[in-house]
Short mmCIF file of all heavy atoms in Angstrom, two decimals:
data_model
loop_
_atom_site.label_atom_id
_atom_site.label_comp_id
_atom_site.label_asym_id
_atom_site.label_seq_id
_atom_site.Cartn_x
_atom_site.Cartn_y
_atom_site.Cartn_z
N MET P 1 0.84 -1.18 0.00
CA MET P 1 0.00 0.00 0.00
C MET P 1 0.88 1.24 0.00
O MET P 1 1.83 1.32 0.74
CB MET P 1 -0.88 0.01 1.24
CG MET P 1 -2.01 -0.96 1.18
SD MET P 1 -3.02 -0.79 2.64
CE MET P 1 -3.46 -2.49 2.85
N ALA P 2 0.50 2.18 -0.81
CA ALA P 2 1.31 3.38 -0.95
C ALA P 2 0.78 4.52 -0.09
O ALA P 2 -0.42 4.69 0.06
CB ALA P 2 1.31 3.81 -2.41
N GLU P 3 1.70 5.27 0.47
CA GLU P 3 1.42 6.54 1.11
C GLU P 3 0.47 6.51 2.30
O GLU P 3 -0.10 7.52 2.64
CB GLU P 3 0.87 7.54 0.09
CG GLU P 3 1.85 7.86 -0.99
CD GLU P 3 1.65 9.24 -1.55
OE1 GLU P 3 1.01 10.07 -0.90
OE2 GLU P 3 2.15 9.48 -2.63
N PHE P 4 0.28 5.40 2.95
CA PHE P 4 -0.64 5.37 4.09
C PHE P 4 -0.16 6.36 5.14
O PHE P 4 0.98 6.33 5.57
CB PHE P 4 -0.75 3.96 4.68
CG PHE P 4 -1.78 3.87 5.77
CD1 PHE P 4 -3.12 3.86 5.45
CD2 PHE P 4 -1.41 3.83 7.08
CE1 PHE P 4 -4.08 3.78 6.43
CE2 PHE P 4 -2.36 3.76 8.08
CZ PHE P 4 -3.70 3.74 7.76
N GLY P 5 -1.05 7.26 5.55
CA GLY P 5 -0.72 8.23 6.58
C GLY P 5 -0.01 9.47 6.06
O GLY P 5 0.35 10.33 6.82
N LYS P 6 0.18 9.58 4.73
CA LYS P 6 0.82 10.75 4.15
C LYS P 6 -0.18 11.45 3.24
O LYS P 6 -0.85 10.81 2.43
CB LYS P 6 2.03 10.35 3.31
CG LYS P 6 3.17 9.77 4.09
CD LYS P 6 4.32 9.47 3.15
CE LYS P 6 5.48 8.83 3.87
NZ LYS P 6 6.55 8.49 2.93
N THR P 7 -0.26 12.76 3.37
CA THR P 7 -1.15 13.52 2.50
C THR P 7 -0.79 13.27 1.05
O THR P 7 0.39 13.30 0.68
CB THR P 7 -1.05 15.02 2.82
OG1 THR P 7 -1.40 15.22 4.18
CG2 THR P 7 -1.98 15.84 1.93
N ARG P 8 -1.78 13.03 0.25
CA ARG P 8 -1.57 12.78 -1.18
C ARG P 8 -1.65 14.12 -1.91
O ARG P 8 -2.68 14.49 -2.47
CB ARG P 8 -2.62 11.81 -1.70
CG ARG P 8 -2.44 10.40 -1.17
CD ARG P 8 -3.47 9.46 -1.79
NE ARG P 8 -3.15 8.10 -1.49
CZ ARG P 8 -3.82 7.36 -0.58
NH1 ARG P 8 -4.85 7.86 0.08
NH2 ARG P 8 -3.48 6.11 -0.36
N LEU P 9 -0.53 14.82 -1.91
CA LEU P 9 -0.49 16.13 -2.56
C LEU P 9 -0.81 16.03 -4.04
O LEU P 9 -1.43 16.93 -4.61
CB LEU P 9 0.88 16.79 -2.33
CG LEU P 9 1.22 17.09 -0.88
CD1 LEU P 9 2.63 17.66 -0.78
CD2 LEU P 9 0.22 18.04 -0.26
N TRP P 10 -0.42 14.92 -4.65
CA TRP P 10 -0.70 14.74 -6.08
C TRP P 10 -2.21 14.69 -6.34
O TRP P 10 -2.69 15.20 -7.34
CB TRP P 10 -0.01 13.50 -6.63
CG TRP P 10 -0.45 12.20 -6.00
CD1 TRP P 10 0.14 11.58 -4.93
CD2 TRP P 10 -1.56 11.39 -6.38
NE1 TRP P 10 -0.54 10.43 -4.63
CE2 TRP P 10 -1.59 10.28 -5.50
CE3 TRP P 10 -2.52 11.47 -7.38
CZ2 TRP P 10 -2.55 9.27 -5.59
CZ3 TRP P 10 -3.48 10.47 -7.47
CH2 TRP P 10 -3.47 9.40 -6.58
N LEU P 11 -2.96 14.13 -5.39
CA LEU P 11 -4.42 14.05 -5.55
C LEU P 11 -5.05 15.43 -5.39
O LEU P 11 -5.97 15.79 -6.14
CB LEU P 11 -4.99 13.06 -4.53
CG LEU P 11 -6.47 12.74 -4.63
CD1 LEU P 11 -6.84 12.23 -6.02
CD2 LEU P 11 -6.85 11.71 -3.57
N ILE P 12 -4.54 16.21 -4.47
CA ILE P 12 -5.03 17.58 -4.28
C ILE P 12 -4.76 18.40 -5.54
O ILE P 12 -5.60 19.17 -5.99
CB ILE P 12 -4.38 18.21 -3.04
CG1 ILE P 12 -4.82 17.46 -1.78
CG2 ILE P 12 -4.70 19.70 -2.94
CD1 ILE P 12 -4.05 17.79 -0.52
N LYS P 13 -3.59 18.17 -6.15
CA LYS P 13 -3.25 18.88 -7.39
C LYS P 13 -4.25 18.54 -8.50
O LYS P 13 -4.74 19.42 -9.20
CB LYS P 13 -1.84 18.51 -7.81
CG LYS P 13 -1.40 19.13 -9.11
CD LYS P 13 -0.02 18.65 -9.50
CE LYS P 13 0.30 19.08 -10.91
NZ LYS P 13 1.52 18.48 -11.43
N TYR P 14 -4.57 17.26 -8.64
CA TYR P 14 -5.54 16.87 -9.67
C TYR P 14 -6.94 17.41 -9.38
O TYR P 14 -7.69 17.69 -10.30
CB TYR P 14 -5.60 15.34 -9.81
CG TYR P 14 -4.51 14.78 -10.68
CD1 TYR P 14 -3.44 14.11 -10.12
CD2 TYR P 14 -4.56 14.91 -12.06
CE1 TYR P 14 -2.42 13.58 -10.92
CE2 TYR P 14 -3.57 14.40 -12.87
CZ TYR P 14 -2.50 13.74 -12.29
OH TYR P 14 -1.50 13.22 -13.09
N ARG P 15 -7.27 17.56 -8.11
CA ARG P 15 -8.59 18.09 -7.74
C ARG P 15 -8.74 19.53 -8.21
O ARG P 15 -9.84 19.97 -8.59
CB ARG P 15 -8.79 17.98 -6.23
CG ARG P 15 -10.13 18.53 -5.77
CD ARG P 15 -10.51 18.09 -4.38
NE ARG P 15 -9.55 18.38 -3.35
CZ ARG P 15 -9.52 19.49 -2.61
NH1 ARG P 15 -10.38 20.45 -2.83
NH2 ARG P 15 -8.63 19.63 -1.65
N GLY P 16 -7.65 20.29 -8.20
CA GLY P 16 -7.68 21.67 -8.69
C GLY P 16 -8.67 22.53 -7.95
O GLY P 16 -8.67 22.59 -6.73
N ASP P 17 -9.55 23.18 -8.71
CA ASP P 17 -10.53 24.11 -8.13
C ASP P 17 -11.80 23.42 -7.64
O ASP P 17 -12.67 24.07 -7.08
CB ASP P 17 -10.91 25.19 -9.15
CG ASP P 17 -9.76 26.13 -9.46
OD1 ASP P 17 -8.87 26.29 -8.59
OD2 ASP P 17 -9.74 26.69 -10.57
N LEU P 18 -11.91 22.13 -7.85
CA LEU P 18 -13.09 21.41 -7.38
C LEU P 18 -13.02 21.24 -5.86
O LEU P 18 -11.94 21.11 -5.29
CB LEU P 18 -13.18 20.02 -8.01
CG LEU P 18 -13.41 19.95 -9.52
CD1 LEU P 18 -13.30 18.51 -9.99
CD2 LEU P 18 -14.76 20.52 -9.88
N THR P 19 -14.16 21.23 -5.22
CA THR P 19 -14.19 20.96 -3.79
C THR P 19 -14.15 19.45 -3.57
O THR P 19 -14.42 18.67 -4.50
CB THR P 19 -15.47 21.51 -3.13
OG1 THR P 19 -16.60 20.80 -3.67
CG2 THR P 19 -15.63 23.00 -3.38
N GLN P 20 -13.85 19.05 -2.36
CA GLN P 20 -13.90 17.63 -2.03
C GLN P 20 -15.30 17.09 -2.27
O GLN P 20 -15.46 15.98 -2.76
CB GLN P 20 -13.48 17.40 -0.57
CG GLN P 20 -12.02 17.61 -0.32
CD GLN P 20 -11.63 17.33 1.11
OE1 GLN P 20 -12.46 17.32 2.02
NE2 GLN P 20 -10.35 17.11 1.34
N GLN P 21 -16.32 17.88 -1.94
CA GLN P 21 -17.70 17.44 -2.13
C GLN P 21 -18.01 17.21 -3.60
O GLN P 21 -18.66 16.23 -3.96
CB GLN P 21 -18.67 18.46 -1.54
CG GLN P 21 -20.12 18.00 -1.55
CD GLN P 21 -20.35 16.81 -0.64
OE1 GLN P 21 -20.13 16.91 0.56
NE2 GLN P 21 -20.79 15.70 -1.19
N GLN P 22 -17.56 18.10 -4.47
CA GLN P 22 -17.81 17.95 -5.89
C GLN P 22 -17.16 16.68 -6.44
O GLN P 22 -17.79 15.95 -7.20
CB GLN P 22 -17.29 19.18 -6.65
CG GLN P 22 -18.12 20.42 -6.42
CD GLN P 22 -17.46 21.67 -6.98
OE1 GLN P 22 -16.25 21.85 -6.88
NE2 GLN P 22 -18.27 22.53 -7.58
N VAL P 23 -15.93 16.43 -6.04
CA VAL P 23 -15.24 15.22 -6.49
C VAL P 23 -15.96 13.99 -5.98
O VAL P 23 -16.21 13.03 -6.72
CB VAL P 23 -13.76 15.22 -6.04
CG1 VAL P 23 -13.10 13.89 -6.37
CG2 VAL P 23 -13.00 16.36 -6.69
N ALA P 24 -16.30 14.00 -4.70
CA ALA P 24 -17.00 12.86 -4.10
C ALA P 24 -18.32 12.58 -4.81
O ALA P 24 -18.64 11.43 -5.12
CB ALA P 24 -17.23 13.11 -2.61
N ASN P 25 -19.08 13.62 -5.09
CA ASN P 25 -20.35 13.46 -5.79
C ASN P 25 -20.16 12.82 -7.16
O ASN P 25 -20.88 11.90 -7.54
CB ASN P 25 -21.07 14.79 -5.95
CG ASN P 25 -21.63 15.33 -4.65
OD1 ASN P 25 -21.69 14.64 -3.63
ND2 ASN P 25 -22.00 16.60 -4.65
N LYS P 26 -19.17 13.30 -7.90
CA LYS P 26 -18.92 12.78 -9.24
C LYS P 26 -18.46 11.32 -9.21
O LYS P 26 -18.74 10.56 -10.13
CB LYS P 26 -17.88 13.63 -9.96
CG LYS P 26 -18.37 15.01 -10.33
CD LYS P 26 -17.26 15.85 -10.94
CE LYS P 26 -17.73 17.25 -11.20
NZ LYS P 26 -17.76 17.58 -12.60
N ALA P 27 -17.75 10.95 -8.14
CA ALA P 27 -17.23 9.59 -8.02
C ALA P 27 -18.21 8.65 -7.32
O ALA P 27 -17.99 7.45 -7.27
CB ALA P 27 -15.90 9.59 -7.27
N GLY P 28 -19.28 9.21 -6.75
CA GLY P 28 -20.27 8.38 -6.06
C GLY P 28 -19.80 7.88 -4.71
O GLY P 28 -20.15 6.77 -4.30
N ILE P 29 -18.98 8.68 -4.03
CA ILE P 29 -18.51 8.33 -2.69
C ILE P 29 -18.83 9.48 -1.74
O ILE P 29 -19.18 10.57 -2.19
CB ILE P 29 -16.99 8.01 -2.67
CG1 ILE P 29 -16.17 9.22 -3.14
CG2 ILE P 29 -16.69 6.78 -3.54
CD1 ILE P 29 -14.66 9.04 -3.05
N SER P 30 -18.68 9.25 -0.46
CA SER P 30 -18.95 10.33 0.50
C SER P 30 -17.77 11.30 0.55
O SER P 30 -16.63 10.94 0.25
CB SER P 30 -19.20 9.76 1.90
OG SER P 30 -18.00 9.25 2.45
N ARG P 31 -18.05 12.53 0.92
CA ARG P 31 -17.00 13.52 1.04
C ARG P 31 -16.00 13.13 2.13
O ARG P 31 -14.80 13.31 1.98
CB ARG P 31 -17.57 14.91 1.35
CG ARG P 31 -16.50 16.01 1.22
CD ARG P 31 -16.56 17.11 2.26
NE ARG P 31 -16.79 16.68 3.60
CZ ARG P 31 -15.81 16.36 4.48
NH1 ARG P 31 -14.55 16.36 4.12
NH2 ARG P 31 -16.12 16.01 5.71
N SER P 32 -16.51 12.57 3.23
CA SER P 32 -15.61 12.19 4.31
C SER P 32 -14.65 11.08 3.88
O SER P 32 -13.47 11.10 4.24
CB SER P 32 -16.38 11.79 5.56
OG SER P 32 -17.20 10.68 5.31
N TYR P 33 -15.13 10.14 3.09
CA TYR P 33 -14.27 9.07 2.57
C TYR P 33 -13.22 9.67 1.62
O TYR P 33 -12.03 9.34 1.70
CB TYR P 33 -15.09 7.99 1.87
CG TYR P 33 -14.28 6.86 1.29
CD1 TYR P 33 -13.40 6.13 2.08
CD2 TYR P 33 -14.39 6.52 -0.04
CE1 TYR P 33 -12.65 5.08 1.54
CE2 TYR P 33 -13.65 5.48 -0.59
CZ TYR P 33 -12.79 4.77 0.21
OH TYR P 33 -12.05 3.74 -0.32
N TYR P 34 -13.66 10.57 0.74
CA TYR P 34 -12.70 11.22 -0.16
C TYR P 34 -11.64 11.97 0.64
O TYR P 34 -10.45 11.90 0.32
CB TYR P 34 -13.40 12.17 -1.15
CG TYR P 34 -12.39 12.84 -2.02
CD1 TYR P 34 -11.81 12.17 -3.09
CD2 TYR P 34 -11.93 14.13 -1.73
CE1 TYR P 34 -10.82 12.76 -3.86
CE2 TYR P 34 -10.94 14.72 -2.49
CZ TYR P 34 -10.39 14.04 -3.55
OH TYR P 34 -9.39 14.62 -4.29
N ALA P 35 -12.05 12.67 1.68
CA ALA P 35 -11.09 13.41 2.51
C ALA P 35 -10.07 12.46 3.15
O ALA P 35 -8.89 12.79 3.23
CB ALA P 35 -11.83 14.21 3.59
N GLU P 36 -10.53 11.29 3.57
CA GLU P 36 -9.62 10.28 4.15
C GLU P 36 -8.63 9.79 3.10
O GLU P 36 -7.46 9.55 3.39
CB GLU P 36 -10.41 9.10 4.70
CG GLU P 36 -11.26 9.44 5.90
CD GLU P 36 -10.53 9.35 7.22
OE1 GLU P 36 -9.29 9.23 7.23
OE2 GLU P 36 -11.20 9.41 8.24
N LEU P 37 -9.08 9.64 1.86
CA LEU P 37 -8.19 9.22 0.77
C LEU P 37 -7.15 10.30 0.50
O LEU P 37 -5.96 10.02 0.36
CB LEU P 37 -8.99 8.94 -0.50
CG LEU P 37 -9.96 7.78 -0.46
CD1 LEU P 37 -10.79 7.74 -1.73
CD2 LEU P 37 -9.24 6.46 -0.24
N GLU P 38 -7.61 11.55 0.45
CA GLU P 38 -6.72 12.66 0.16
C GLU P 38 -5.68 12.84 1.26
O GLU P 38 -4.53 13.16 0.98
CB GLU P 38 -7.56 13.93 0.01
CG GLU P 38 -6.92 15.00 -0.83
CD GLU P 38 -7.86 16.14 -1.11
OE1 GLU P 38 -8.05 16.99 -0.22
OE2 GLU P 38 -8.41 16.19 -2.23
N SER P 39 -6.09 12.63 2.49
CA SER P 39 -5.16 12.81 3.62
C SER P 39 -4.23 11.62 3.78
O SER P 39 -3.27 11.68 4.55
CB SER P 39 -5.93 13.03 4.91
OG SER P 39 -6.60 11.85 5.30
N GLY P 40 -4.51 10.54 3.05
CA GLY P 40 -3.66 9.35 3.14
C GLY P 40 -4.02 8.42 4.28
O GLY P 40 -3.32 7.46 4.55
N ASN P 41 -5.12 8.71 4.96
CA ASN P 41 -5.54 7.86 6.08
C ASN P 41 -6.22 6.58 5.64
O ASN P 41 -6.37 5.65 6.42
CB ASN P 41 -6.45 8.63 7.03
CG ASN P 41 -5.70 9.71 7.77
OD1 ASN P 41 -4.51 9.57 8.05
ND2 ASN P 41 -6.38 10.80 8.07
N LYS P 42 -6.68 6.56 4.39
CA LYS P 42 -7.30 5.35 3.83
C LYS P 42 -6.78 5.14 2.43
O LYS P 42 -6.37 6.09 1.76
CB LYS P 42 -8.82 5.48 3.80
CG LYS P 42 -9.44 5.50 5.17
CD LYS P 42 -10.88 5.13 5.13
CE LYS P 42 -11.36 5.14 6.60
NZ LYS P 42 -12.61 4.57 6.78
N ASN P 43 -6.84 3.91 2.00
CA ASN P 43 -6.50 3.56 0.62
C ASN P 43 -7.77 3.05 -0.06
O ASN P 43 -8.54 2.32 0.55
CB ASN P 43 -5.42 2.48 0.58
CG ASN P 43 -4.08 3.03 0.99
OD1 ASN P 43 -3.64 4.05 0.50
ND2 ASN P 43 -3.41 2.35 1.91
N PRO P 44 -7.98 3.45 -1.31
CA PRO P 44 -9.19 3.03 -2.01
C PRO P 44 -9.09 1.61 -2.53
O PRO P 44 -8.00 1.08 -2.73
CB PRO P 44 -9.25 4.01 -3.19
CG PRO P 44 -7.80 4.24 -3.51
CD PRO P 44 -7.12 4.28 -2.15
N GLY P 45 -10.24 1.03 -2.79
CA GLY P 45 -10.29 -0.22 -3.53
C GLY P 45 -10.10 0.11 -5.00
O GLY P 45 -10.12 1.27 -5.41
N VAL P 46 -9.94 -0.91 -5.80
CA VAL P 46 -9.69 -0.73 -7.23
C VAL P 46 -10.83 0.05 -7.89
O VAL P 46 -10.58 0.98 -8.67
CB VAL P 46 -9.46 -2.09 -7.92
CG1 VAL P 46 -9.45 -1.95 -9.43
CG2 VAL P 46 -8.17 -2.72 -7.42
N GLU P 47 -12.06 -0.30 -7.61
CA GLU P 47 -13.20 0.37 -8.26
C GLU P 47 -13.24 1.86 -7.93
O GLU P 47 -13.48 2.68 -8.80
CB GLU P 47 -14.52 -0.31 -7.90
CG GLU P 47 -14.67 -1.68 -8.53
CD GLU P 47 -14.52 -1.67 -10.05
OE1 GLU P 47 -15.12 -0.81 -10.72
OE2 GLU P 47 -13.78 -2.52 -10.56
N THR P 48 -13.02 2.20 -6.67
CA THR P 48 -13.02 3.61 -6.27
C THR P 48 -11.84 4.34 -6.91
O THR P 48 -12.00 5.47 -7.38
CB THR P 48 -12.96 3.74 -4.73
OG1 THR P 48 -14.11 3.10 -4.18
CG2 THR P 48 -12.93 5.20 -4.31
N ALA P 49 -10.69 3.70 -6.95
CA ALA P 49 -9.52 4.31 -7.59
C ALA P 49 -9.81 4.59 -9.07
O ALA P 49 -9.48 5.65 -9.59
CB ALA P 49 -8.30 3.41 -7.44
N LYS P 50 -10.47 3.64 -9.74
CA LYS P 50 -10.82 3.82 -11.15
C LYS P 50 -11.81 4.98 -11.32
O LYS P 50 -11.68 5.78 -12.25
CB LYS P 50 -11.41 2.54 -11.73
CG LYS P 50 -10.38 1.46 -11.97
CD LYS P 50 -11.03 0.22 -12.55
CE LYS P 50 -10.00 -0.87 -12.84
NZ LYS P 50 -10.63 -2.08 -13.39
N LYS P 51 -12.80 5.05 -10.44
CA LYS P 51 -13.78 6.15 -10.52
C LYS P 51 -13.09 7.50 -10.36
O LYS P 51 -13.34 8.43 -11.12
CB LYS P 51 -14.85 5.99 -9.44
CG LYS P 51 -15.84 4.89 -9.72
CD LYS P 51 -16.84 4.81 -8.57
CE LYS P 51 -17.76 3.61 -8.71
NZ LYS P 51 -18.68 3.51 -7.58
N LEU P 52 -12.24 7.61 -9.34
CA LEU P 52 -11.55 8.88 -9.10
C LEU P 52 -10.60 9.22 -10.24
O LEU P 52 -10.50 10.38 -10.64
CB LEU P 52 -10.81 8.84 -7.77
CG LEU P 52 -11.71 8.90 -6.55
CD1 LEU P 52 -10.93 8.60 -5.28
CD2 LEU P 52 -12.40 10.25 -6.44
N GLY P 53 -9.93 8.22 -10.79
CA GLY P 53 -9.07 8.46 -11.94
C GLY P 53 -9.85 9.00 -13.12
O GLY P 53 -9.39 9.90 -13.82
N GLY P 54 -11.05 8.47 -13.32
CA GLY P 54 -11.90 8.94 -14.40
C GLY P 54 -12.40 10.36 -14.17
O GLY P 54 -12.43 11.18 -15.07
N VAL P 55 -12.79 10.64 -12.93
CA VAL P 55 -13.32 11.96 -12.59
C VAL P 55 -12.22 13.03 -12.70
O VAL P 55 -12.45 14.11 -13.25
CB VAL P 55 -13.92 11.96 -11.16
CG1 VAL P 55 -14.19 13.37 -10.67
CG2 VAL P 55 -15.19 11.12 -11.13
N LEU P 56 -11.04 12.72 -12.18
CA LEU P 56 -9.97 13.71 -12.12
C LEU P 56 -8.93 13.55 -13.24
O LEU P 56 -7.95 14.29 -13.28
CB LEU P 56 -9.28 13.66 -10.75
CG LEU P 56 -10.18 14.01 -9.57
CD1 LEU P 56 -9.43 13.86 -8.25
CD2 LEU P 56 -10.76 15.41 -9.70
N MET P 57 -9.15 12.58 -14.10
CA MET P 57 -8.32 12.35 -15.28
C MET P 57 -6.84 12.08 -14.93
O MET P 57 -5.94 12.77 -15.37
CB MET P 57 -8.46 13.52 -16.25
CG MET P 57 -9.91 13.65 -16.72
SD MET P 57 -10.20 14.92 -17.94
CE MET P 57 -9.22 14.34 -19.29
N PHE P 58 -6.64 11.04 -14.10
CA PHE P 58 -5.30 10.56 -13.83
C PHE P 58 -5.31 9.05 -13.87
O PHE P 58 -6.36 8.43 -13.87
CB PHE P 58 -4.75 11.07 -12.48
CG PHE P 58 -5.49 10.56 -11.26
CD1 PHE P 58 -5.19 9.33 -10.70
CD2 PHE P 58 -6.47 11.33 -10.67
CE1 PHE P 58 -5.86 8.85 -9.57
CE2 PHE P 58 -7.15 10.87 -9.54
CZ PHE P 58 -6.84 9.63 -9.00
N ASP P 59 -4.14 8.45 -13.94
CA ASP P 59 -4.01 7.00 -13.97
C ASP P 59 -4.35 6.46 -12.58
O ASP P 59 -3.63 6.75 -11.62
CB ASP P 59 -2.59 6.63 -14.38
CG ASP P 59 -2.35 5.13 -14.46
OD1 ASP P 59 -3.26 4.33 -14.12
OD2 ASP P 59 -1.24 4.74 -14.85
N TRP P 60 -5.41 5.71 -12.49
CA TRP P 60 -5.90 5.22 -11.19
C TRP P 60 -4.88 4.41 -10.43
O TRP P 60 -4.93 4.31 -9.21
CB TRP P 60 -7.20 4.43 -11.37
CG TRP P 60 -7.05 3.18 -12.17
CD1 TRP P 60 -7.15 3.06 -13.53
CD2 TRP P 60 -6.76 1.87 -11.68
NE1 TRP P 60 -6.94 1.75 -13.91
CE2 TRP P 60 -6.70 0.99 -12.78
CE3 TRP P 60 -6.56 1.34 -10.41
CZ2 TRP P 60 -6.44 -0.36 -12.67
CZ3 TRP P 60 -6.30 -0.02 -10.28
CH2 TRP P 60 -6.24 -0.85 -11.40
N THR P 61 -3.88 3.85 -11.13
CA THR P 61 -2.87 3.06 -10.44
C THR P 61 -1.95 3.93 -9.59
O THR P 61 -1.16 3.41 -8.81
CB THR P 61 -2.04 2.20 -11.42
OG1 THR P 61 -1.33 3.05 -12.33
CG2 THR P 61 -2.94 1.23 -12.19
N ASN P 62 -2.04 5.26 -9.74
CA ASN P 62 -1.26 6.17 -8.89
C ASN P 62 -1.46 5.86 -7.41
O ASN P 62 -0.55 6.04 -6.62
CB ASN P 62 -1.62 7.63 -9.15
CG ASN P 62 -1.08 8.16 -10.46
OD1 ASN P 62 -0.32 7.49 -11.15
ND2 ASN P 62 -1.47 9.37 -10.80
N PHE P 63 -2.66 5.44 -7.05
CA PHE P 63 -2.93 5.13 -5.64
C PHE P 63 -2.07 3.98 -5.13
O PHE P 63 -1.83 3.88 -3.94
CB PHE P 63 -4.40 4.76 -5.44
CG PHE P 63 -5.31 5.93 -5.33
CD1 PHE P 63 -6.18 6.24 -6.36
CD2 PHE P 63 -5.34 6.73 -4.19
CE1 PHE P 63 -7.06 7.31 -6.26
CE2 PHE P 63 -6.19 7.81 -4.08
CZ PHE P 63 -7.05 8.10 -5.12
N PHE P 64 -1.63 3.13 -6.02
CA PHE P 64 -0.94 1.92 -5.60
C PHE P 64 0.56 1.95 -5.90
O PHE P 64 1.26 0.99 -5.62
CB PHE P 64 -1.60 0.70 -6.28
CG PHE P 64 -3.09 0.69 -6.02
CD1 PHE P 64 -3.99 1.04 -7.02
CD2 PHE P 64 -3.59 0.38 -4.76
CE1 PHE P 64 -5.36 1.06 -6.78
CE2 PHE P 64 -4.95 0.40 -4.51
CZ PHE P 64 -5.83 0.74 -5.53
N ASN P 65 1.03 3.05 -6.46
CA ASN P 65 2.46 3.23 -6.71
C ASN P 65 3.12 3.75 -5.43
O ASN P 65 2.60 4.63 -4.77
CB ASN P 65 2.71 4.24 -7.84
CG ASN P 65 2.21 3.74 -9.16
OD1 ASN P 65 2.18 2.54 -9.41
ND2 ASN P 65 1.80 4.65 -10.02
N VAL P 66 4.27 3.21 -5.11
CA VAL P 66 5.00 3.66 -3.94
C VAL P 66 5.67 4.98 -4.25
O VAL P 66 6.35 5.11 -5.26
CB VAL P 66 6.06 2.62 -3.50
CG1 VAL P 66 6.86 3.12 -2.33
CG2 VAL P 66 5.39 1.31 -3.18
N ARG P 67 5.45 5.96 -3.41
CA ARG P 67 6.06 7.28 -3.57
C ARG P 67 6.85 7.61 -2.32
O ARG P 67 6.44 7.30 -1.23
CB ARG P 67 5.00 8.36 -3.77
CG ARG P 67 4.23 8.20 -5.05
CD ARG P 67 3.11 9.24 -5.09
NE ARG P 67 2.30 9.04 -6.25
CZ ARG P 67 2.35 9.82 -7.32
NH1 ARG P 67 3.18 10.82 -7.37
NH2 ARG P 67 1.59 9.58 -8.36
N SER P 68 7.97 8.31 -2.53
CA SER P 68 8.74 8.72 -1.36
C SER P 68 8.51 10.17 -1.02
O SER P 68 7.96 10.91 -1.71
CB SER P 68 10.22 8.52 -1.57
OG SER P 68 10.61 8.14 -2.82
#
């Protein structure tokens, strides 16, 4: 698992001017769950990662790549 407990700055960058609520709505998840993903406190399942990748236009496997 990548980045557990580390803020995912790359995800915040992809979110841009959208609010957490807007992203969550588009991905069909709760805002609180999205916030946990963004803060690195939770890791998404494959389906959620794919949804977020589609909404924010990034490669969903980014969630599972190890970053330093």
Side-chain angles (χ1 to χ4, degrees):
M1 286 183 215
E3 297 209 18
F4 186 75
K6 294 182 182 178
T7 301
R8 290 183 170 105
L9 297 177
W10 62 267
L11 186 55
I12 295 168
K13 178 183 170 189
Y14 278 106
R15 179 164 55 91
D17 292 334
L18 294 173
T19 65
Q20 289 182 341
Q21 187 66 61
Q22 289 170 319
V23 173
N25 289 348
K26 291 175 185 245
I29 60 176
S30 70
R31 191 219 44 90
S32 61
Y33 179 55
Y34 178 78
E36 293 274 12
L37 295 173
E38 204 172 79
S39 69
N41 291 329
K42 293 201 178 192
N43 288 311
V46 170
E47 290 305 313
T48 299
K50 286 180 178 180
K51 286 179 187 178
L52 288 169
V55 168
L56 298 177
M57 299 183 63
F58 65 84
D59 181 355
W60 64 272
T61 62
N62 286 353
F63 278 108
F64 307 105
N65 294 330
V66 177
R67 294 175 184 256
S68 7

